[in-house]
Amino acid sequence: MRTITVVGASLAGLYAARELRAQGYDGRLVIIGAEPHPPYDRPPLSKDFLTGKADEDQLALSDAEETDELAAEWLLGVRARALDARGRTVLLEDGRTVASDGVVIATGACARRLPGPSLAGVHTLRTLCDARALRADLAAWPQRVVVIGGGFIGAETASSCVALGHDVTVVEAAPLPLLPQLGADMAAVCAGLHARGGAELVTGTGVAALHGDATVRAVELADGRMLPADVVVVGIGATPNTGWLAGSTLALDDGVLCDDGCVTALPHVVAVGDVARVGAARAEHWTSATEQPRVAVRNLLAGHTAETVRPLPYFWSDQYGSRIQFAGRRRADDTVRLVEGSPEEGSFLAAYEREGHTTAVLAVDRPRPFTRMRRGLLAAVPVAA
């Protein structure tokens, strides 16, 4: 291959570029990014960046020395518009084209938005530009903040807003936040962090409408309640960025469909990170974006699926001064056993078990024992060649 193009200057895209060089590719490397910024770390956006503890320069994922070592052509601030039918050319929105022998798709996902008119004071939090705008709106103190969605982004943003001194209400349509991931018992424990941290949690009802003239003034809930709001943060999930691939020969269904080695229907096109549906799952986790590129690049350079990924779902979330960590695959019929600590102590380690085997592990402020149990789960994942 003489030219390989990475579409997406994201965490996954940067790791793919690193892997290409590390695995011996010395040809032309082009990295296309829709945002004007070089790759940056997203997890701090809802935490240290929002609270002012971290500046933009601390978000950078690489320095000038590494940029020189990658020897890549960076095309930033321009979106990919299409991939030609045979997958050999990437078309850009500004009219340029990049002929490519291999393509790594790492275009990530975009935040879902609520339907209705656009109002000032309503934010999503996915990009650096999103975080800048939200931080600016939160500079007026104190304010009434309503966070719609009790998932990771919503909970972390709510925690940061409380730390900044704002009056915060979190609205979650499900009976409990994180219910599908943690199960009822452990989800209830983690939901308690909101009350302990100083935020009000409203569950079991959705949002009917946002009210205001040019600026948001209130959130109307599906049960008729009205929540006054100066700032609204919408954290209701993300949609994979696959629109630019419409009309290509790639299969799309909640992401770019890949085999277990991140390889698409075209062997010279692979996909990694939030946009990739590897096997039967699409995992929007930091570890997926950092672990998939090694396997994807190996298969891209080999021209076929020579190796598969060993996925073990893992996520963490920092909320109200506590760190939540989860690894594994929980099923509805799994039992939960406290290994050490207790929810009453505010720090514990719990194991999900099925037929005598540990299937997943959850920890709140127990990082070392959690890491040991996570390693044990990873060691049990079968290796497929």
Side-chain angles (χ1 to χ4, degrees), residues 61 103 156 269 283 329:
L61 288 170
V103 175
E156 291 171 0
V269 179
R329 292 182 176 84

Short mmCIF file of all heavy atoms in Angstrom, two decimals, residues 61 103 156 269 283 329:
data_model
loop_
_atom_site.label_atom_id
_atom_site.label_comp_id
_atom_site.label_asym_id
_atom_site.label_seq_id
_atom_site.Cartn_x
_atom_site.Cartn_y
_atom_site.Cartn_z
N LEU A 61 -3.66 14.89 22.80
CA LEU A 61 -3.25 13.49 22.90
C LEU A 61 -1.85 13.24 22.36
O LEU A 61 -1.31 12.15 22.53
CB LEU A 61 -4.25 12.61 22.14
CG LEU A 61 -5.62 12.45 22.79
CD1 LEU A 61 -6.58 11.77 21.83
CD2 LEU A 61 -5.52 11.65 24.08
N VAL A 103 -8.07 2.31 3.86
CA VAL A 103 -8.82 3.33 4.58
C VAL A 103 -9.14 2.81 5.99
O VAL A 103 -9.60 1.67 6.15
CB VAL A 103 -10.13 3.70 3.87
CG1 VAL A 103 -10.96 4.67 4.70
CG2 VAL A 103 -9.84 4.30 2.49
N GLU A 156 -21.75 12.85 34.92
CA GLU A 156 -20.49 13.57 35.10
C GLU A 156 -20.67 15.08 34.96
O GLU A 156 -20.09 15.86 35.71
CB GLU A 156 -19.45 13.06 34.11
CG GLU A 156 -19.00 11.63 34.40
CD GLU A 156 -18.13 11.04 33.31
OE1 GLU A 156 -17.87 11.74 32.31
OE2 GLU A 156 -17.73 9.88 33.45
N VAL A 269 -10.61 -1.76 3.78
CA VAL A 269 -11.28 -0.77 4.62
C VAL A 269 -11.58 -1.39 5.98
O VAL A 269 -12.23 -2.43 6.05
CB VAL A 269 -12.59 -0.26 3.97
CG1 VAL A 269 -13.27 0.76 4.88
CG2 VAL A 269 -12.32 0.34 2.59
N ALA A 283 -19.28 -0.55 20.74
CA ALA A 283 -18.95 -0.16 22.11
C ALA A 283 -18.38 1.25 22.13
O ALA A 283 -17.30 1.51 21.59
CB ALA A 283 -17.93 -1.13 22.71
N ARG A 329 -19.62 -8.72 31.11
CA ARG A 329 -20.94 -8.79 30.45
C ARG A 329 -21.97 -9.32 31.43
O ARG A 329 -21.96 -10.49 31.79
CB ARG A 329 -20.86 -9.72 29.23
CG ARG A 329 -20.01 -9.19 28.09
CD ARG A 329 -20.04 -10.15 26.90
NE ARG A 329 -19.31 -9.61 25.76
CZ ARG A 329 -17.99 -9.72 25.61
NH1 ARG A 329 -17.27 -10.35 26.52
NH2 ARG A 329 -17.40 -9.21 24.54
#
